[in-house]
């Protein structure tokens, strides 16, 4: 602390009074300031002491609270452990009680099952004993009845022996001899009558190899090795069976059923026969059965057909049947007379129509038989994972003629022209015109013209983008579309106005493949980008199976 300054002032000194007054005021001011500082310092010391006391009290309180909380937590943990132990003990006791109850129930169930099994065995044994007793009684009764019947039969046979032999010799023996005569006699004398009747009916010479009559299961004339017609229209039938009545055996034959076994009919003859089936010389009513029908030796790709036909008022009014073989698949045929013959034909496959390399599957033909032809209202088939549809007219009056409109959709182009198109679905439309002496020559001689389009495909053998950049030929070109026109005639096919659109280029050209399978054509490629115009020209050569592109 600063030491006090003592100043003695004499107010009497002249001029010093005012100075003394100022000094006293200054000393008083400094004393007040010193007292205020001391008071502030004391206040701060008191505040610090109070704060320190409060902090100490707070720490003491916190410690007591912590100890109390710890003690409370310890008691809670001990209580929880005790409760858990009690709960575990109760659960263990309950589980033990449940296990003992389950074992008791299982023992009781097993005992009940054993008692039930023993009861079933006892009842089964009793039932078996009763059944055996009844069976024994039945057998004994049957044995008594059998012995009684045998005794009666013995007495009856003794009576019959006295009358049977005169009956056999006088009545039955002549009938048996007559039956055997009719069964095995050749009846070749009636063969000429059948030949003349069939010749008048069908308008062509008919020859029968042999004829005989069978009586079982009913009277039936059987004619073997029947040949009708001559030349390409010759019809051969292994056996013809004609069901007749007993009066018709020696008198005028009456036709009730007809069975043709393994006939070979040229297609044209079969179609002409349909136009002649209104003759009342045939069945008035009844059924015609055909087994193993083949349409001539040249139609081996069709399975033999088994058909049933019905007559009404002397006219054939319905034919239906089917055939199936591992090589040719399954075919069904339905014909119905509705002022005209309505045809529905379904086939699982037809390999002969376009050749074995181009098999048609799931074929459906619907149409109407007209004089000298077939009006095809609907044709549909599967071809290389796509669809082929059409309509048209097939004629056979003087040779065979076919006119048709065809439409294709999503046919796998890689299977039609694998060397040229590696991917893509072909669609389009075409007109088909064909003329040939026989049905199998129609499509090989056909003329086909139309347009095609291939969506999102791959052109094989050339990379047109590399050609534009003068970096070689490349291997393939992916394109958005390829369309054009085509004409196929005399084993030659020409493609014109071909336009290929790809992402950055466009190509136009033409292509021809002659009868010797040699290919020739030209294509001009143009860039589709907005930059400088670039073009390139390619010459196409090679063959139908190995195309070649050169700049």
């Amino acid at each position: 602390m600063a030491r006090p300054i003592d100043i003695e002032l004499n107010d009497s000194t002249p001029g010093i009074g005012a100075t003394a007054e100022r000094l006293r005021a200054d000393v008083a001011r400094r004393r007040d300031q010193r007292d205020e500082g001391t008071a502030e310092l004391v206040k701060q010391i008191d505040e610090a002491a109070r704060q320190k006391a409060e902090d100490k009290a707070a720490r003491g309180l916190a410690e007591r609270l912590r100890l109390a909380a710890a003690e409370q937590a310890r008691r809670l943990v001990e209580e929880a452990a005790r409760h858990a132990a009690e709960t575990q003990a109760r659960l263990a006791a309950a589980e033990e009680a449940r296990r003992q109850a389950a074992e008791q129930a299982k023992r009781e169930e097993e005992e009940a099952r054993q008692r039930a099994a023993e009861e079933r065995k006892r009842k089964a044994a009793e039932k078996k004993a009763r059944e055996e007793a009844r069976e024994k009684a039945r057998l004994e009764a049957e044995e008594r009845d059998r012995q009684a019947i045998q005794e009666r039969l013995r007495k009856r046979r003794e009576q019959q022996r006295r009358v049977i032999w005169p009956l056999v010799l006088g009545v039955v023996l002549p009938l048996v001899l007559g039956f055997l005569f009719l069964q095995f006699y050749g009846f070749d004398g009636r063969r000429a009558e059948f030949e003349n009747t069939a010749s008048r009916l069908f308008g062509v010479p008919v020859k029968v190899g042999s004829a005989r009559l069978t009586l079982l299961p009913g009277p039936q004339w059987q004619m073997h090795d029947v040949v009708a017609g001559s030349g390409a229209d010759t019809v051969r039938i292994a056996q013809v069976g004609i069901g007749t009545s007993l009066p018709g055996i020696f008198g005028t034959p009456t036709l009730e059923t007809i069975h043709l076994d393994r006939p070979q009919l040229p297609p044209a003859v079969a179609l002409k026969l349909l136009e002649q089936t209104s003759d009342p010389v045939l069945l008035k009513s009844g059924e015609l059965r055909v087994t193993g029908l083949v349409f001539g030796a040249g139609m081996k790709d069709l399975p033999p057909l088994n058909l049933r036909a019905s007559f009404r008022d002397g006219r054939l009014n319905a034919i239906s049947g089917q055939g199936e073989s591992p090589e040719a698949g399954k075919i069904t045929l339905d014909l119905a007379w509705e002022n005209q013959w309505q045809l529905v034909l379904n086939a699982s496959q037809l390999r002969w129509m376009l050749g074995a390399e181009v098999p048609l599957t799931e074929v459906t033909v619907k149409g109407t038989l007209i004089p000298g032809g077939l009006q095809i209202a609907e044709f549909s088939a599967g071809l290389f994972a796509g669809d082929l549809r059409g309509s048209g007219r097939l004629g056979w009056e003087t040779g065979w003629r076919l006119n048709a409109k065809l439409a294709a959709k999503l046919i796998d182009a890689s299977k039609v022209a694998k060397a040229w198109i590696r991917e893509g679905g072909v669609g389009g439309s075409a007109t088909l015109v064909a003329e040939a002496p026989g049905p199998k020559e129609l499509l090989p001689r056909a003329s086909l013209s139309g347009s095609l389009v291939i969506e999102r495909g791959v052109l094989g053998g050339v990379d047109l983008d590399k050609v534009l950049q003068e970096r070689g030929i490349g291997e393939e070109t992916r394109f958005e579309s390829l369309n054009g026109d085509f004409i196929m005639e005399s084993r030659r096919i020409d493609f014109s106005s071909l336009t290929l659109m790809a992402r950055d280029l466009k190509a136009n050209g033409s292509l021809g493949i002659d009868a010797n399978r040699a290919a020739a054509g030209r294509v001009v490629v143009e860039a589709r980008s907005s930059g400088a115009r670039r073009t390139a020209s390619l010459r196409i050569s090679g063959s139908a199976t190995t195309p070649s592109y050169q700049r």
Side-chain angles (χ1 to χ4, degrees), residues 259-270:
H259 176 210
L260 306 181
D261 184 36
R262 289 165 291 159
Q264 293 184 8
L265 273 73
V269 175

Side-chain angles (χ1 to χ4, degrees), residues 231-236 264-272 294-297 400:
D233 292 337
T234 300
V235 177
R236 300 181 185 276
Q264 293 184 8
L265 273 73
V269 175
L271 295 169
K272 289 178 181 177
V294 295
F295 292 103
W400 289 75

Side-chain angles (χ1 to χ4, degrees), residues 21 27 45 119 132 134 194 236 330 421 426 511:
E21 185 63 31
V27 170
I45 292 171
E119 181 66 17
E132 288 177 350
R134 284 196 299 268
F194 284 115
R236 300 181 185 276
K330 183 177 181 180
I421 305 294
V426 182
L511 173 66

Side-chain angles (χ1 to χ4, degrees), residues 364-436:
T364 297
V365 179
K366 297 180 180 179
T368 303
L369 285 171
I370 57 178
L374 171 65
Q375 190 69 39
I376 303 172
E378 177 184 341
F379 169 84
S380 63
L383 177 61
F384 293 141
D387 293 326
L388 183 64
R389 298 181 179 273
S391 60
R393 185 182 187 279
L394 176 66
W396 50 75
E397 277 187 322
T398 56
W400 289 75
R401 291 183 176 84
L402 176 62
N403 295 279
K405 296 287 187 180
L406 300 175
K409 183 178 180 181
L410 297 177
I411 294 176
D412 189 347
S414 67
K415 294 182 179 179
V416 179
K418 184 176 182 179
W420 300 85
I421 305 294
R422 296 178 180 175
E423 292 181 19
V426 182
S429 59
T431 300
L432 185 146
V433 178
E435 185 173 350

Side-chain angles (χ1 to χ4, degrees), residues 97-139:
R98 187 195 62 77
R99 184 184 63 79
Q100 292 177 359
E103 290 180 353
Q104 180 65 24
K106 184 176 180 182
R107 286 194 299 271
E108 293 176 354
E109 182 182 358
E110 183 65 24
E111 291 173 357
R113 186 162 50 247
Q114 291 177 357
R115 289 194 299 270
E118 291 173 356
E119 181 66 17
R120 287 195 298 272
K121 289 180 180 179
R122 184 184 62 79
K123 290 182 178 179
E126 293 176 353
K127 182 179 179 182
K128 182 177 180 183
R130 290 194 300 270
E131 291 177 350
E132 288 177 350
R134 284 196 299 268
E135 181 67 14
K136 183 178 180 181
R138 186 185 63 81
L139 292 175

